Amino acid sequence: MALSPMDVTQFAAVDAARAARMLSEVRSAKLSGGRAPLAPRPVIEQSWDRVLRSGVDPEHDFRSGLLAPEEVRRRREASALRHVLPVLREGLLSVADVAHHIMVVADDEGRVLWREGSARVLRKADVLGFELGADWREEVVGTNGIGTPAVTRRPVQVFASEHFVRSQATWTCAGAPITDPRSGRLLGVVDVSGPLETMHPATLAWVDSVARLAEARLRELHVRSLERLRAVAAPVLARLDGRALVADREGWTAAVTGMPYLDRVVLPKSPVAGTRWLPGFGACTVEPLGEGWLVRAAGGPVPRGAARIVLDLGQPRRWSVRVLGGAEDWARELSPRHAELLYLLAVHRAGRSAAELAEDVFGDPARTVTVRAEMSRVRRYLGAYLEHRPYRFCEDAEVEVVLPDDPRGLLPHSTAPAVAERRAGALPAP
């Protein structure tokens, strides 16, 4: 029976044992350089390639050491994921327990912070090192339902020998990333795992839908926090003349006076009270107010001119843009989409139209509305250094791109055709 890569998980629901044997042959062929009975799914093959470059031993699992219980507690208390645990439990645990699965929630570094579900399966997970405080990054333990979604930034199901390390081949895992709706930063991954025979092809869609509900809950909490801050800001702004706004600690605007409404202002990474220069806003004074900041414009012009812009894509999951040599040096962490767009503009210094960026990112030049919306968000913090029609960095800006040591690790989450082409060709930085 000939199967395409996309058929495997469907076939596994009917004959899990046979599908597992077939995937074991595929894995063995990949590792030995032999001919496989079928091609691995693209998301799995790309993960195997990354793991091979990381030097993970496919025949022996490696455990980097558990976090101490005190550190697990500290991370739990610091993680925004604690706010969505009720959503995850309600959506996943009742079914997971009956289906002999467990729910695992890990932070953005792949550390397991919560585990709940079938007691029998939890004991089996202990044998695999799937314990509280364990490190399940892809580059440490190979392809898996926590580390791989964290890299790709999309839901991934890993079935049987699609796991890179042999000891994990008796399991099936389905994980989905959870991102912070305020910043686009990865908060962690929720995963449902269990023995091979409990696998179902609908598990991935189920886990992903609950992860999206968790993100919706985070958005709701953010809106409520802005409403509280707005109530604090109203009497303060009413007494002020000139341009001013109140923003939360992430820079999201709660209220403004004397100026058009801005969704967001770029605050320093660790803001302190005093005189500051904020991109797109100019010289201003910054003061703490409630759970946010009061920003008052000093009235001076927004500086432009020569600057050095460093687009740092060298870290696996933390991309940033830094502006050096302007009125004040500053940096901002980038969402996956903004990292893609700014990389493409750095590659094409002459500029790209909305249609060209749509072709680059989506393979569809008609998706200009999406591109324009995203570029509008980019220009809110980098507008002093970007032109449009076409979109491009201003001519007097020096742009430097920092790539991973292995260029094949460029934006590993990205499925943008233009990025994938450069990643496959291991092209140097512009």
Side-chain angles (χ1 to χ4, degrees), residues 233-256:
V236 175
L237 294 179
R239 297 192 298 267
L240 298 179
D241 295 324
R243 297 186 301 147
L245 62 81
V246 173
D248 69 9
R249 290 168 183 165
E250 294 284 339
W252 290 98
T253 304
V256 304

Side-chain angles (χ1 to χ4, degrees), residues 72-89 103 105-108 113-114 116 178 180 182 185 187-189 214 217-218 221 228 249 291:
V72 171
R73 284 195 293 271
R74 188 195 69 78
R75 291 193 182 210
R76 284 177 171 180
E77 292 168 359
S79 174
L81 293 174
R82 72 187 190 280
H83 298 304
V84 297
L85 276 178
V87 176
L88 300 178
R89 286 169 174 148
M103 179 190 78
V105 182
D107 65 13
D108 61 328
L113 298 187
W114 290 275
E116 300 178 32
I178 299 175
D180 188 334
R182 299 171 301 172
R185 184 176 66 84
L187 295 176
V189 174
R217 174 60 174 163
L218 290 172
L221 292 173
R228 291 193 299 270
R249 290 168 183 165
E291 295 183 355

Side-chain angles (χ1 to χ4, degrees), residues 8-70:
V8 171
T9 55
Q10 297 292 331
F11 175 52
V14 178
D15 192 340
R18 184 179 171 192
R21 288 194 299 271
M22 187 177 300
L23 287 172
S24 180
E25 294 175 17
V26 172
R27 174 183 172 279
S28 296
K30 174 70 174 180
L31 294 176
S32 66
R35 184 172 181 176
L38 74 162
R41 293 186 292 141
V43 67
I44 299 300
E45 185 169 30
Q46 291 163 13
S47 174
W48 286 353
D49 288 340
R50 291 191 299 269
V51 171
L52 284 167
R53 294 197 299 271
S54 298
V56 176
D57 187 340
E59 302 303 322
H60 300 90
D61 62 2
F62 172 78
R63 305 183 187 178
S64 62
L66 301 178
L67 296 177
E70 296 77 13

Side-chain angles (χ1 to χ4, degrees), residues 265-339:
V265 63
V266 179
L267 295 174
K269 191 168 186 179
S270 299
V272 294
T275 302
R276 310 288 291 176
W277 183 87
L278 302 183
F281 200 80
C284 59
T285 58
V286 178
E287 305 170 39
L289 179 66
E291 295 183 355
W293 295 92
L294 170 63
V295 180
R296 292 188 288 173
V302 178
R304 289 188 55 129
R308 178 166 168 251
I309 298 172
V310 179
L311 182 60
D312 189 348
L313 308 178
Q315 301 301 314
R317 291 181 291 275
R318 295 187 184 277
W319 312 289
S320 66
V321 60
R322 285 177 288 158
V323 176
L324 310 173
E328 183 172 327
D329 296 348
W330 58 274
R332 179 186 175 91
E333 191 170 317
L334 297 172
S335 69
R337 181 66 75 212
H338 289 188

